[in-house]
Amino acid sequence: PSNLSNGSYVRNGPARRFSNSTALVPSSYLDSWGKIHKFTFSNGSVHFSCRMIDTSNYNASVQTGRMTPTLTLAPTKPFQWTQDQFSEMVNNGNDNANMKVWRLGSEDNGQYLAVGNFPVVQEMDMESLIVKEEKQFDQKSLATSPHWRREVGANSSINFHILENDNGGVNITLFRFNSTYEDHAQIGTFALPMVH
């Protein structure tokens, strides 16, 4: 239809699972590797493109043909990682950005991030859908949320991280992110039980 606005609609979500019969696989759809999809509307026509989100753990899994030991939201099957694989799993962490694409900053000069539940995000080039850079949060975060919130009337966004506190517990700590993932400030801390 010619009445559609020009622009792009971008989504990501769980897409690929390795199914080697001798290897472990995720038991949950939410642990499938992320893929980004883009629909571009231009002068009444629609163009579609998509690409797997090339994280370090995904690329290592592609090279071996099986899921590399990594932290997952749900158990792997048919059994969990072995004792020998445990340190590799912890070291690899989770970089699977399969939940959402979020823009920080203004529409005309934004930083686009593919995000998940873990504190590693992937900065994306929205033209090519290639990962520009993997970004770690600058504090020891145990988890975060893919459900970012934009502040009303501003180009800043709010999200929380679950940080260890000095008492051996955890705090839910709110941060305001401005034009980039690195440009953030703490705005509140709550020592509350965790509720998803």
Side-chain angles (χ1 to χ4, degrees):
S2 60
N3 61 346
L4 288 175
S5 297
N6 291 340
S8 294
Y9 175 73
V10 180
R11 291 292 304 184
N12 63 332
R16 184 175 182 185
R17 294 169 72 165
F18 291 89
S19 57
N20 183 323
S21 62
T22 63
L24 300 178
V25 296
S27 63
S28 170
Y29 170 70
L30 293 176
D31 286 315
S32 300
W33 295 108
K35 187 174 190 178
I36 193 164
H37 302 82
K38 178 180 166 186
F39 297 87
T40 301
F41 303 92
S42 178
N43 300 319
S45 63
V46 179
H47 301 279
F48 172 75
S49 57
C50 63
R51 183 181 178 99
M52 294 300 295
I53 300 172
D54 292 328
T55 68
S56 299
N57 288 332
Y58 172 74
N59 289 336
S61 297
V62 169
Q63 284 184 332
T64 62
R66 60 181 59 210
M67 184 178 169
T68 193
T70 183
L71 294 173
T72 55
L73 295 172
T76 52
K77 62 181 184 179
F79 48 84
Q80 283 285 60
W81 301 112
T82 66
Q83 187 80 16
D84 294 341
Q85 295 168 316
F86 185 79
S87 62
E88 183 181 359
M89 176 199 67
V90 171
N91 187 53
N92 288 338
N94 184 307
D95 62 4
N96 193 2
N98 65 4
M99 300 286 191
K100 193 173 195 173
V101 175
W102 191 257
R103 174 185 48 85
L104 294 176
S106 65
E107 284 187 48
D108 54 341
N109 191 26
Q111 182 185 62
Y112 290 86
L113 305 174
V115 301
N117 285 312
F118 289 87
V120 177
V121 301
Q122 309 296 325
E123 182 181 359
M124 304 297 297
D125 177 320
M126 296 315 294
E127 291 300 315
S128 65
L129 304 181
I130 292 174
V131 173
K132 290 169 68 173
E133 184 180 356
E134 179 177 289
K135 295 181 176 290
Q136 295 273 352
F137 195 62
D138 63 1
Q139 298 184 40
K140 182 153 177 52
S141 176
L142 303 175
T144 186
S145 171
H147 309 294
W148 293 68
R149 295 291 176 250
R150 189 152 336 274
E151 289 192 278
V152 176
N155 282 322
S156 54
S157 300
I158 303 293
N159 203 352
F160 71 86
H161 280 265
I162 299 173
L163 304 176
E164 293 180 52
N165 63 32
D166 295 335
N167 302 324
V170 295
N171 291 336
I172 298 173
T173 307
L174 289 176
F175 291 89
R176 174 178 288 117
F177 292 80
N178 293 303
S179 59
T180 67
Y181 193 64
E182 297 79 9
D183 181 11
H184 60 268
Q186 181 175 325
I187 59 173
T189 298
F190 309 92
L192 300 172
M194 290 188 290
V195 178
H196 188 270

